[in-house]
Amino acid sequence: MSLATPTPVRAPRGDLLVSTVTDKALILDRAGERAHLLNASALWVFDLLDGTRSVDDIVAVIASELAVEDDTIRADVVAAVDEFTDAGLLDGDDPAPSPTAPAAVRADDEAPTAGAPPAEGTLGPYDAIGFTFVVHTADGVIADELEPLLAGLATDR
């Protein structure tokens, strides 16, 4: 994407399920069989995507709120929009293909038996937007980062 474009950025796909917890959001893309966790900055950009605003418009809104120069945040806004596009989250995008070993799977697809401890590298279960899910990762750093972010979604189901 060009760093300065008057073309409106497409809005998020209408079939995405978005759950906001404090200043973060979990986006469930059932068609792409993926889950995306947005931090506060990415969520701000995502929330401003309405199909009528350009990157310049989004930069201007955020820069005004933060009382900074547009150039201070332009590259970050462009990067966020590019990531949303690459992930297939915008209108007209085909959902990004699910990875071979998904980072997130529906809990009922691979739910442990009742009373069994979670598998090594499994976080959850969590409940968001009417879905119960667990997160599988073999990377301890990712697990350490995700656990506090998802704590507000924890469930005993």
Side-chain angles (χ1 to χ4, degrees):
M1 169 174 294
S2 142
L3 285 182
T5 175
T7 306
V9 178
R10 292 171 288 142
R13 288 191 358 242
D15 63 331
L16 300 173
L17 299 173
V18 181
S19 179
T20 303
V21 178
T22 60
D23 61 347
K24 294 168 185 58
L26 179 67
I27 299 174
L28 297 178
D29 178 1
R30 293 183 295 175
E33 297 180 344
R34 304 212 42 194
H36 306 271
L37 186 62
L38 303 185
N39 65 20
S41 299
L43 176 58
W44 196 355
V45 173
F46 191 81
D47 283 344
L48 290 170
L49 298 176
D50 63 3
T52 65
R53 290 185 177 105
S54 68
V55 167
D56 289 344
D57 297 333
I58 294 168
V59 167
V61 168
I62 295 172
S64 173
E65 287 290 319
L66 295 176
V68 298
E69 295 294 321
D70 290 6
D71 290 342
T72 304
I73 61 162
R74 183 176 310 282
D76 292 331
V77 171
V78 169
V81 171
D82 285 346
E83 287 184 34
F84 299 145
T85 302
D86 291 347
L89 299 178
L90 304 181
D91 273 342
D93 289 341
D94 288 327
S98 180
T100 306
V105 263
R106 289 189 5 228
D108 53 308
D109 285 345
E110 294 187 15
T113 56
E120 178 91 21
T122 299
L123 304 175
Y126 303 105
D127 187 54
I129 344 174
F131 290 91
T132 301
F133 64 96
V134 294
V135 177
H136 300 283
T137 181
D139 187 324
V141 173
I142 291 174
D144 290 345
E145 290 292 321
L146 285 177
E147 196 164 32
L149 297 174
L150 295 173
L153 301 174
T155 182
D156 57 2
R157 297 195 276 157

